[in-house]
Protein backbone atom coordinates (compact mmCIF):
# COMPACT_ATOMS: atom_id res chain seq x y z
CA UNK A 1 0.00 0.00 0.00
CA UNK A 2 1.23 3.47 -0.86
CA UNK A 3 1.67 5.77 2.09
CA UNK A 4 2.35 9.35 3.09
CA UNK A 5 5.36 9.61 0.78
CA UNK A 6 3.12 9.09 -2.22
CA UNK A 7 0.58 11.58 -0.91
CA UNK A 8 3.22 14.21 -0.25
CA UNK A 9 4.64 13.75 -3.73
CA UNK A 10 1.20 14.42 -5.16
CA UNK A 11 0.53 17.56 -3.17
CA UNK A 12 0.14 20.91 -4.80
CA UNK A 13 1.52 24.30 -4.01
CA UNK A 14 -0.58 26.73 -2.01
CA UNK A 15 -2.82 24.11 -0.40
CA UNK A 16 -5.86 26.37 -0.16
CA UNK A 17 -9.20 27.08 -1.78
CA UNK A 18 -10.46 30.63 -1.95
CA UNK A 19 -13.83 31.60 -0.58
CA UNK A 20 -16.59 32.70 -2.94
CA UNK A 21 -18.01 31.24 -6.13
CA UNK A 22 -15.18 30.33 -8.55
CA UNK A 23 -15.00 31.81 -12.02
CA UNK A 24 -16.14 29.57 -14.92
CA UNK A 25 -13.30 27.90 -16.79
CA UNK A 26 -12.26 29.57 -20.03
CA UNK A 27 -13.14 26.47 -22.03
CA UNK A 28 -16.54 25.97 -20.43
CA UNK A 29 -18.04 23.98 -17.56
CA UNK A 30 -15.98 21.15 -16.12
CA UNK A 31 -16.65 17.53 -15.23
CA UNK A 32 -16.05 16.60 -11.58
CA UNK A 33 -15.19 13.16 -10.23
CA UNK A 34 -15.55 11.97 -6.64
CA UNK A 35 -14.39 8.53 -5.54
CA UNK A 36 -16.68 6.71 -3.08
CA UNK A 37 -16.78 3.20 -1.68
CA UNK A 38 -20.52 2.69 -1.50
CA UNK A 39 -22.24 0.71 -4.24
CA UNK A 40 -25.67 1.13 -2.63
CA UNK A 41 -28.02 2.19 -5.42
CA UNK A 42 -30.21 4.32 -3.14
CA UNK A 43 -27.22 6.22 -1.79
CA UNK A 44 -25.78 6.79 -5.26
CA UNK A 45 -29.18 7.99 -6.49
CA UNK A 46 -29.25 10.53 -3.66
CA UNK A 47 -25.75 11.74 -4.56
CA UNK A 48 -26.86 12.16 -8.17
CA UNK A 49 -29.91 14.12 -7.03
CA UNK A 50 -27.82 16.54 -4.98
CA UNK A 51 -25.32 16.89 -7.81
CA UNK A 52 -28.10 17.55 -10.34
CA UNK A 53 -29.35 20.44 -8.21
CA UNK A 54 -25.86 21.94 -8.18
CA UNK A 55 -25.45 21.56 -11.94
CA UNK A 56 -28.82 23.21 -12.53
CA UNK A 57 -27.81 26.15 -10.32
CA UNK A 58 -24.29 26.40 -11.78
CA UNK A 59 -24.45 25.42 -15.47
CA UNK A 60 -21.45 27.62 -16.30
CA UNK A 61 -19.27 25.84 -13.73
CA UNK A 62 -20.07 22.14 -13.92
CA UNK A 63 -21.52 19.92 -16.64
CA UNK A 64 -21.41 16.61 -14.74
CA UNK A 65 -20.43 14.99 -11.45
CA UNK A 66 -19.33 11.35 -11.54
CA UNK A 67 -19.39 9.30 -8.34
CA UNK A 68 -16.77 6.66 -9.05
CA UNK A 69 -17.31 3.51 -6.99
CA UNK A 70 -14.11 1.86 -5.72
CA UNK A 71 -14.47 -1.42 -3.76
CA UNK A 72 -14.27 -0.94 0.01
CA UNK A 73 -11.48 -3.50 0.55
CA UNK A 74 -9.17 -1.88 -2.01
CA UNK A 75 -10.28 1.71 -1.61
CA UNK A 76 -7.25 3.46 -0.12
CA UNK A 77 -4.79 1.45 -2.21
CA UNK A 78 -6.67 2.34 -5.38
CA UNK A 79 -6.98 6.00 -4.40
CA UNK A 80 -3.28 6.45 -3.63
CA UNK A 81 -2.42 4.62 -6.85
CA UNK A 82 -4.59 7.08 -8.76
CA UNK A 83 -2.80 9.97 -7.09
CA UNK A 84 0.62 8.54 -7.88
CA UNK A 85 -0.37 7.90 -11.49
CA UNK A 86 -1.70 11.37 -12.17
CA UNK A 87 -5.32 10.19 -12.32
CA UNK A 88 -6.30 12.44 -9.42
CA UNK A 89 -10.02 12.71 -8.63
CA UNK A 90 -11.42 16.12 -7.77
CA UNK A 91 -12.89 14.90 -4.49
CA UNK A 92 -12.67 11.67 -2.52
CA UNK A 93 -14.06 9.92 0.51
CA UNK A 94 -11.35 9.23 3.07
CA UNK A 95 -11.37 6.71 5.92
CA UNK A 96 -10.89 8.10 9.41
CA UNK A 97 -7.97 5.70 9.86
CA UNK A 98 -6.09 7.48 7.07
CA UNK A 99 -7.14 11.00 8.07
CA UNK A 100 -3.84 12.02 9.76
CA UNK A 101 -1.90 10.66 6.79
CA UNK A 102 -3.90 12.64 4.22
CA UNK A 103 -4.17 15.81 6.31
CA UNK A 104 -0.45 15.95 7.05
CA UNK A 105 0.61 15.08 3.49
CA UNK A 106 -0.40 18.40 1.94
CA UNK A 107 -2.34 16.59 -0.79
CA UNK A 108 -5.67 18.07 0.34
CA UNK A 109 -6.89 21.62 -0.18
CA UNK A 110 -8.01 23.72 2.76
CA UNK A 111 -11.78 23.75 2.28
CA UNK A 112 -12.59 25.96 5.26
CA UNK A 113 -12.68 29.24 3.26
CA UNK A 114 -15.05 27.74 0.69
CA UNK A 115 -17.40 26.34 3.33
CA UNK A 116 -17.38 29.45 5.50
CA UNK A 117 -17.94 31.65 2.48
CA UNK A 118 -20.85 29.69 1.01
CA UNK A 119 -24.19 31.46 1.38
CA UNK A 120 -26.41 29.85 4.02
CA UNK A 121 -23.77 27.24 4.94
CA UNK A 122 -23.87 27.86 8.72
CA UNK A 123 -20.31 26.71 9.36
CA UNK A 124 -20.68 27.31 13.10
CA UNK A 125 -23.27 24.53 13.19
CA UNK A 126 -20.51 21.98 12.62
CA UNK A 127 -19.43 20.23 15.83
CA UNK A 128 -15.80 21.14 16.63
CA UNK A 129 -15.19 17.63 17.98
CA UNK A 130 -16.25 16.16 14.63
CA UNK A 131 -13.80 18.37 12.75
CA UNK A 132 -10.81 17.67 14.96
CA UNK A 133 -9.44 14.66 13.08
CA UNK A 134 -9.62 16.54 9.77
CA UNK A 135 -8.07 19.83 10.91
CA UNK A 136 -4.54 21.20 11.04
CA UNK A 137 -3.64 24.59 12.47
CA UNK A 138 -6.47 26.87 11.28
CA UNK A 139 -7.44 24.82 8.22
CA UNK A 140 -9.99 22.11 7.50
CA UNK A 141 -8.88 19.50 5.00
CA UNK A 142 -11.94 17.27 4.77
CA UNK A 143 -15.58 17.49 5.81
CA UNK A 144 -16.65 14.59 8.11
CA UNK A 145 -19.82 13.71 6.24
CA UNK A 146 -20.42 10.51 8.18
CA UNK A 147 -20.24 10.29 11.98
CA UNK A 148 -21.78 6.92 12.49
CA UNK A 149 -21.74 5.26 15.90
CA UNK A 150 -21.19 1.54 16.03
CA UNK A 151 -24.10 -0.29 17.60
CA UNK A 152 -25.50 -3.79 18.03
CA UNK A 153 -28.26 -5.07 15.79
CA UNK A 154 -29.92 -8.10 17.39
CA UNK A 155 -32.23 -10.71 15.85
CA UNK A 156 -34.90 -10.93 18.55
CA UNK A 157 -36.64 -13.82 16.76
CA UNK A 158 -33.56 -16.04 17.08
CA UNK A 159 -33.01 -14.97 20.68
CA UNK A 160 -36.62 -15.71 21.66
CA UNK A 161 -36.60 -19.06 19.86
CA UNK A 162 -33.53 -20.07 21.83
CA UNK A 163 -35.14 -18.97 25.10
CA UNK A 164 -32.49 -16.36 25.81
CA UNK A 165 -32.93 -13.00 27.56
CA UNK A 166 -34.03 -10.09 25.43
CA UNK A 167 -30.99 -7.79 25.13
CA UNK A 168 -33.28 -4.75 25.21
CA UNK A 169 -34.37 -5.74 28.71
CA UNK A 170 -30.72 -6.12 29.70
CA UNK A 171 -30.05 -2.56 28.56
CA UNK A 172 -32.89 -1.33 30.77
CA UNK A 173 -31.48 -3.19 33.78
CA UNK A 174 -27.85 -2.17 33.14
CA UNK A 175 -26.91 -5.80 32.45
CA UNK A 176 -26.10 -5.39 28.76
CA UNK A 177 -22.45 -6.50 28.78
CA UNK A 178 -20.09 -8.23 26.39
CA UNK A 179 -20.26 -11.31 28.60
CA UNK A 180 -24.06 -11.35 28.27
CA UNK A 181 -23.83 -10.91 24.49
CA UNK A 182 -21.33 -13.76 24.32
CA UNK A 183 -23.51 -16.11 26.40
CA UNK A 184 -26.63 -15.36 24.34
CA UNK A 185 -24.73 -15.78 21.08
CA UNK A 186 -23.20 -19.09 22.13
CA UNK A 187 -26.56 -20.47 23.24
CA UNK A 188 -28.39 -19.49 20.06
CA UNK A 189 -25.67 -20.96 17.87
CA UNK A 190 -25.70 -24.23 19.80
CA UNK A 191 -29.49 -24.57 19.57
CA UNK A 192 -30.25 -23.05 16.16
CA UNK A 193 -27.06 -23.23 14.13
CA UNK A 194 -26.06 -20.21 12.10
CA UNK A 195 -23.78 -17.73 13.79
CA UNK A 196 -23.79 -15.80 17.05
CA UNK A 197 -21.99 -12.44 17.30
CA UNK A 198 -20.43 -10.98 14.16
CA UNK A 199 -18.20 -7.92 14.10
CA UNK A 200 -19.18 -6.85 10.62
CA UNK A 201 -16.38 -6.14 8.13
CA UNK A 202 -13.77 -7.53 10.51
CA UNK A 203 -13.41 -10.88 8.71
CA UNK A 204 -10.11 -11.55 10.52
CA UNK A 205 -8.52 -8.91 8.34
CA UNK A 206 -9.71 -5.38 9.22
CA UNK A 207 -8.49 -5.57 12.81
CA UNK A 208 -9.29 -1.91 13.55
CA UNK A 209 -12.99 -2.82 13.68
CA UNK A 210 -12.23 -4.72 16.89
CA UNK A 211 -11.93 -1.31 18.56
CA UNK A 212 -15.69 -1.61 18.98
CA UNK A 213 -15.03 -4.51 21.34
CA UNK A 214 -11.78 -3.68 23.10
CA UNK A 215 -13.06 -0.21 24.00
CA UNK A 216 -15.12 -1.89 26.70
CA UNK A 217 -11.85 -2.94 28.33
CA UNK A 218 -10.36 0.54 28.04
CA UNK A 219 -7.80 -0.74 25.54
CA UNK A 220 -6.38 1.10 22.52
CA UNK A 221 -4.10 0.21 19.64
CA UNK A 222 -1.59 2.91 20.56
CA UNK A 223 -1.14 5.84 22.87
CA UNK A 224 -2.98 9.12 22.33
CA UNK A 225 0.11 10.70 20.79
CA UNK A 226 0.50 7.72 18.45
CA UNK A 227 4.03 6.83 19.53
CA UNK A 228 3.59 3.80 21.83
CA UNK A 229 2.05 0.43 21.00
CA UNK A 230 -0.96 -0.54 23.14
CA UNK A 231 -1.32 -4.21 22.20
CA UNK A 232 0.79 -5.42 25.13
CA UNK A 233 -1.09 -3.41 27.74
CA UNK A 234 -3.03 -5.59 30.24
CA UNK A 235 -6.40 -4.22 29.07
CA UNK A 236 -5.72 -5.23 25.47
CA UNK A 237 -4.40 -8.67 26.44
CA UNK A 238 -7.57 -9.28 28.46
CA UNK A 239 -9.83 -8.03 25.68
CA UNK A 240 -8.16 -10.09 22.96
CA UNK A 241 -8.14 -13.16 25.20
CA UNK A 242 -11.89 -12.69 25.68
CA UNK A 243 -12.39 -12.44 21.94
CA UNK A 244 -10.20 -15.48 21.22
CA UNK A 245 -12.09 -17.59 23.75
CA UNK A 246 -15.45 -16.43 22.35
CA UNK A 247 -14.34 -17.76 18.96
CA UNK A 248 -12.47 -20.93 19.75
CA UNK A 249 -13.90 -22.02 23.13
CA UNK A 250 -17.56 -20.98 23.09
CA UNK A 251 -18.34 -20.71 19.40
CA UNK A 252 -20.10 -17.45 20.18
CA UNK A 253 -18.24 -15.69 17.35
CA UNK A 254 -17.80 -17.40 13.96
CA UNK A 255 -14.23 -18.40 13.20
CA UNK A 256 -11.98 -17.51 10.28
CA UNK A 257 -13.33 -18.40 6.86
CA UNK A 258 -16.97 -18.42 7.96
CA UNK A 259 -19.37 -16.33 5.91
CA UNK A 260 -22.13 -14.94 8.15
CA UNK A 261 -24.46 -12.06 7.30
CA UNK A 262 -26.80 -10.78 9.99
CA UNK A 263 -29.20 -9.39 7.42
CA UNK A 264 -29.73 -12.84 5.91
CA UNK A 265 -31.48 -13.86 9.16
CA UNK A 266 -29.24 -16.63 10.52
CA UNK A 267 -27.00 -14.50 12.75
CA UNK A 268 -27.94 -13.55 16.31
CA UNK A 269 -26.30 -10.13 16.56
CA UNK A 270 -23.83 -7.93 14.74
CA UNK A 271 -21.77 -4.86 15.53
CA UNK A 272 -22.07 -2.38 12.69
CA UNK A 273 -23.28 1.12 11.85
CA UNK A 274 -26.84 2.37 11.41
CA UNK A 275 -26.46 2.85 7.66
CA UNK A 276 -26.74 -0.94 7.44
CA UNK A 277 -30.37 -0.72 8.54
CA UNK A 278 -31.31 -0.26 4.89
CA UNK A 279 -30.47 -3.96 4.39
CA UNK A 280 -33.30 -5.06 6.71
CA UNK A 281 -36.15 -6.55 4.69
CA UNK A 282 -38.72 -7.33 7.41
CA UNK A 283 -38.11 -11.08 7.31
CA UNK A 284 -37.34 -11.18 11.05
CA UNK A 285 -37.85 -9.07 14.17
CA UNK A 286 -34.85 -7.04 15.29
CA UNK A 287 -33.68 -4.34 17.66
CA UNK A 288 -30.86 -1.80 17.66
CA UNK A 289 -28.92 -1.28 20.90
CA UNK A 290 -25.84 0.57 22.13
CA UNK A 291 -22.59 -1.33 22.32
CA UNK A 292 -22.41 -3.58 25.41
CA UNK A 293 -20.32 -2.68 28.42
CA UNK A 294 -17.00 -4.29 29.20
CA UNK A 295 -15.05 -4.38 32.47
CA UNK A 296 -14.33 -0.64 32.07
CA UNK A 297 -17.91 0.24 31.25
CA UNK A 298 -19.69 1.14 28.04
CA UNK A 299 -17.65 2.92 25.38
CA UNK A 300 -19.13 4.69 22.36
CA UNK A 301 -17.14 4.23 19.17
CA UNK A 302 -17.78 6.05 15.93
CA UNK A 303 -16.54 5.58 12.43
CA UNK A 304 -15.94 8.78 10.54
CA UNK A 305 -15.50 9.37 6.85
CA UNK A 306 -14.42 12.65 5.33
CA UNK A 307 -14.72 14.24 1.90
CA UNK A 308 -11.59 16.01 0.76
CA UNK A 309 -10.69 18.12 -2.28
CA UNK A 310 -7.34 17.34 -3.87
CA UNK A 311 -5.07 20.33 -4.31
CA UNK A 312 -3.52 18.67 -7.36
CA UNK A 313 -6.86 17.95 -9.02
CA UNK A 314 -7.82 19.79 -12.18
CA UNK A 315 -10.55 21.87 -10.56
CA UNK A 316 -9.92 22.35 -6.80
CA UNK A 317 -11.85 25.63 -6.53
CA UNK A 318 -14.93 24.30 -8.34
CA UNK A 319 -14.69 21.04 -6.38
CA UNK A 320 -14.64 22.98 -3.09
CA UNK A 321 -17.67 24.99 -4.19
CA UNK A 322 -19.51 21.79 -5.07
CA UNK A 323 -18.54 20.33 -1.70
CA UNK A 324 -20.13 23.34 0.01
CA UNK A 325 -23.36 22.51 -1.82
CA UNK A 326 -23.06 18.77 -1.16
CA UNK A 327 -22.69 19.39 2.59
CA UNK A 328 -25.03 22.37 3.03
CA UNK A 329 -27.71 22.21 5.74
CA UNK A 330 -30.28 21.08 3.16
CA UNK A 331 -28.04 18.42 1.63
CA UNK A 332 -26.80 17.22 5.02
CA UNK A 333 -30.38 16.61 6.11
CA UNK A 334 -30.91 14.41 3.05
CA UNK A 335 -27.62 12.57 3.59
CA UNK A 336 -28.60 11.95 7.22
CA UNK A 337 -30.72 9.08 5.91
CA UNK A 338 -27.49 7.10 5.69
CA UNK A 339 -24.74 9.22 7.23
CA UNK A 340 -25.17 10.99 10.60
CA UNK A 341 -24.00 14.55 9.95
CA UNK A 342 -21.62 16.68 12.01
CA UNK A 343 -24.27 19.41 12.25
CA UNK A 344 -25.50 19.95 15.79
CA UNK A 345 -28.91 21.17 14.56
CA UNK A 346 -29.51 17.85 12.77
CA UNK A 347 -28.34 15.56 15.57
CA UNK A 348 -31.75 15.19 17.19
CA UNK A 349 -33.91 12.10 17.37
CA UNK A 350 -36.84 13.71 15.58
CA UNK A 351 -34.74 14.92 12.63
CA UNK A 352 -32.93 11.59 12.34
CA UNK A 353 -36.24 9.70 12.60
CA UNK A 354 -37.52 11.47 9.51
CA UNK A 355 -34.40 10.41 7.66
CA UNK A 356 -34.32 6.88 9.13
CA UNK A 357 -37.89 5.52 9.07
CA UNK A 358 -36.77 2.01 10.06
CA UNK A 359 -35.42 3.24 13.39
CA UNK A 360 -37.51 4.50 16.31
CA UNK A 361 -36.78 7.81 18.00
CA UNK A 362 -35.80 5.86 21.11
CA UNK A 363 -33.24 3.84 19.14
CA UNK A 364 -31.89 6.96 17.46
CA UNK A 365 -31.61 8.82 20.76
CA UNK A 366 -29.76 6.05 22.60
CA UNK A 367 -27.60 4.84 19.73
CA UNK A 368 -26.94 7.85 17.52
CA UNK A 369 -27.49 11.09 19.44
CA UNK A 370 -26.01 9.77 22.68
CA UNK A 371 -23.58 7.50 20.84
CA UNK A 372 -21.78 10.42 19.24
CA UNK A 373 -21.27 12.13 22.58
CA UNK A 374 -17.85 11.46 24.12
CA UNK A 375 -17.17 8.80 21.52
CA UNK A 376 -13.78 7.60 20.38
CA UNK A 377 -12.98 7.01 16.73
CA UNK A 378 -11.51 3.88 15.27
CA UNK A 379 -7.69 3.83 15.25
CA UNK A 380 -6.12 6.55 13.10
CA UNK A 381 -2.46 7.33 12.51
CA UNK A 382 -0.26 9.26 10.08
CA UNK A 383 1.48 5.96 9.26
CA UNK A 384 -1.71 3.90 9.27
CA UNK A 385 -1.20 2.29 5.87
CA UNK A 386 1.95 0.49 7.00
CA UNK A 387 0.64 -0.17 10.49
CA UNK A 388 -2.55 -1.71 9.14
CA UNK A 389 -0.66 -4.22 6.99
CA UNK A 390 2.01 -4.99 9.57
CA UNK A 391 -0.40 -5.54 12.46
CA UNK A 392 -2.73 -7.63 10.32
CA UNK A 393 0.17 -9.90 9.42
CA UNK A 394 1.22 -10.36 13.05
CA UNK A 395 -2.36 -10.97 14.22
CA UNK A 396 -2.78 -13.85 11.76
CA UNK A 397 -1.06 -16.07 14.33
CA UNK A 398 -3.81 -15.25 16.85
CA UNK A 399 -6.63 -16.69 14.79
CA UNK A 400 -5.91 -20.34 15.52
CA UNK A 401 -7.10 -22.54 18.34
CA UNK A 402 -4.58 -22.71 21.17
CA UNK A 403 -2.75 -19.51 20.19
CA UNK A 404 -0.68 -17.83 22.89
CA UNK A 405 -2.48 -14.49 22.99
CA UNK A 406 0.10 -12.63 25.03
CA UNK A 407 3.00 -13.87 22.88
CA UNK A 408 1.24 -12.87 19.67
CA UNK A 409 0.50 -9.39 21.00
CA UNK A 410 4.16 -9.01 22.03
CA UNK A 411 5.08 -9.76 18.41
CA UNK A 412 2.53 -7.19 17.24
CA UNK A 413 4.20 -4.45 19.29
CA UNK A 414 7.68 -5.52 18.29
CA UNK A 415 6.70 -5.04 14.64
CA UNK A 416 4.60 -1.91 15.18
CA UNK A 417 6.85 0.16 17.45
CA UNK A 418 9.32 1.21 14.70
CA UNK A 419 6.41 2.37 12.55
CA UNK A 420 4.89 4.32 15.41
CA UNK A 421 8.13 6.08 16.24
CA UNK A 422 9.47 6.49 12.72
Amino acid sequence: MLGAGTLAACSGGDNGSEAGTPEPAADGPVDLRMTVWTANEDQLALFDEIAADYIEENPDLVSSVEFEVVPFADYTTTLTTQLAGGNTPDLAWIFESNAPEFVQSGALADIKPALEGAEGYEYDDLLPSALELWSAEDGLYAYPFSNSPFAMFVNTDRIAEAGQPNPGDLVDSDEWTYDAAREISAATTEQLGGAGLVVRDFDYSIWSNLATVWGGWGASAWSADGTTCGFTEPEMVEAMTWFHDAVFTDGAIPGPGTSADFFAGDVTMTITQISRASSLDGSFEWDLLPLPAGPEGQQNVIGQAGIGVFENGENPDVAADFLAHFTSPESAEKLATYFPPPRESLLTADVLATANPLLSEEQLQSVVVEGIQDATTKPAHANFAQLETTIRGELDALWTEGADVEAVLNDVCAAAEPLLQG
Side-chain angles (χ1 to χ4, degrees):
M1 180 175 290
L2 301 174
T6 296
L7 296 176
C10 298
S11 64
D14 60 7
N15 201 28
S17 294
E18 297 299 327
T21 302
E23 293 294 325
D27 54 354
V30 303
D31 300 311
L32 295 179
R33 175 166 62 97
M34 181 196 295
T35 58
V36 302
W37 56 73
T38 180
N40 181 286
E41 293 182 0
D42 292 334
Q43 294 176 10
L44 293 172
L46 176 57
F47 300 163
D48 287 336
E49 174 190 324
I50 295 173
D53 290 340
Y54 181 79
I55 294 169
E56 182 178 356
E57 295 171 6
N58 301 274
D60 295 336
L61 286 179
V62 174
S63 54
S64 70
V65 180
E66 175 192 359
F67 297 97
E68 178 185 359
V69 178
V70 177
F72 181 88
D74 305 318
Y75 184 83
T76 300
T77 303
T78 301
L79 178 58
T80 51
T81 300
Q82 288 184 355
L83 297 176
N87 183 27
T88 304
D90 296 289
L91 308 97
W93 285 9
I94 299 170
F95 291 119
E96 77 282 286
S97 54
N98 301 111
E101 186 176 2
F102 276 87
V103 169
Q104 294 176 25
S105 71
L108 297 174
D110 179 5
I111 58 174
K112 185 176 180 180
L115 302 188
E116 284 188 321
E119 184 177 355
Y121 192 80
E122 300 178 16
Y123 187 88
D124 290 343
D125 189 35
L126 304 181
L127 290 168
S129 59
L131 304 181
E132 184 175 351
L133 191 61
W134 310 94
S135 301
E137 298 180 353
D138 293 329
L140 179 66
Y141 294 90
Y143 168 93
F145 74 96
S146 181
N147 301 264
S148 188
F150 285 87
M152 188 81 83
F153 282 90
V154 298
N155 184 326
T156 52
D157 279 350
R158 273 179 62 88
I159 292 169
E161 185 177 354
Q164 294 299 303
N166 185 327
D169 295 337
L170 297 181
V171 172
D172 293 338
S173 61
D174 292 328
E175 298 176 287
W176 179 228
T177 65
Y178 273 104
D179 284 342
R182 173 175 164 179
E183 292 170 8
I184 293 169
S185 296
T188 55
T189 301
E190 181 178 0
Q191 295 182 45
L192 307 176
L197 168 58
V198 174
V199 180
R200 191 175 178 92
D201 296 322
F202 162 54
D203 293 329
Y204 295 89
S205 176
I206 306 177
W207 56 266
S208 57
N209 277 2
L210 291 183
T212 58
V213 177
W214 72 49
W217 277 258
S220 58
W222 39 72
S223 58
D225 63 3
T227 62
T228 305
C229 181
F231 279 90
T232 53
E233 295 298 317
E235 298 85 359
M236 182 67 82
V237 174
E238 185 179 349
M240 295 297 262
T241 299
W242 181 95
F243 190 89
H244 187 274
D245 289 348
V247 176
F248 296 102
T249 302
D250 298 345
I253 298 174
T258 303
S259 178
D261 182 8
F262 174 84
F263 301 99
D266 60 350
V267 175
T268 305
M269 57 186 74
T270 188
I271 296 174
T272 189
Q273 293 164 297
I274 68 164
S275 57
R276 300 289 190 177
S278 59
S279 299
L280 293 162
D281 60 8
S283 60
F284 58 88
E285 295 295 318
W286 57 275
D287 199 356
L288 178 65
L289 306 173
L291 292 177
E296 292 299 314
Q298 197 271 341
Q299 173 66 64
N300 295 322
V301 180
I302 63 171
Q304 276 194 321
I307 305 174
V309 171
F310 286 107
E311 183 70 39
N312 226 29
E314 293 185 3
N315 313 287
D317 291 338
V318 177
D321 191 65
F322 169 68
L323 181 58
H325 171 83
F326 193 79
T327 63
S328 69
E330 296 77 17
S331 297
E333 186 167 359
K334 295 177 182 178
L335 293 169
T337 301
Y338 308 102
F339 311 107
R343 291 187 171 274
E344 187 173 12
S345 63
L346 296 178
L347 286 176
T348 64
D350 57 337
V351 169
L352 293 173
T354 301
N356 297 272
L358 289 176
L359 304 178
S360 69
E361 288 195 20
E362 181 181 359
Q363 290 170 331
L364 290 165
Q365 179 65 34
S366 64
V367 172
V368 182
V369 177
E370 296 177 11
I372 292 176
Q373 307 301 320
D374 301 319
T376 62
T377 60
K378 291 171 56 184
H381 197 278
N383 201 17
F384 188 82
Q386 288 184 280
L387 285 163
E388 180 181 39
T389 302
T390 299
I391 293 173
R392 180 174 65 236
E394 295 297 332
L395 284 176
D396 281 345
L398 187 59
W399 313 131
T400 59
E401 189 171 1
D404 185 331
V405 176
E406 192 164 1
V408 171
L409 297 183
N410 280 331
D411 291 341
V412 168
C413 278
E417 282 286 359
L419 300 176
L420 291 168
Q421 298 171 2

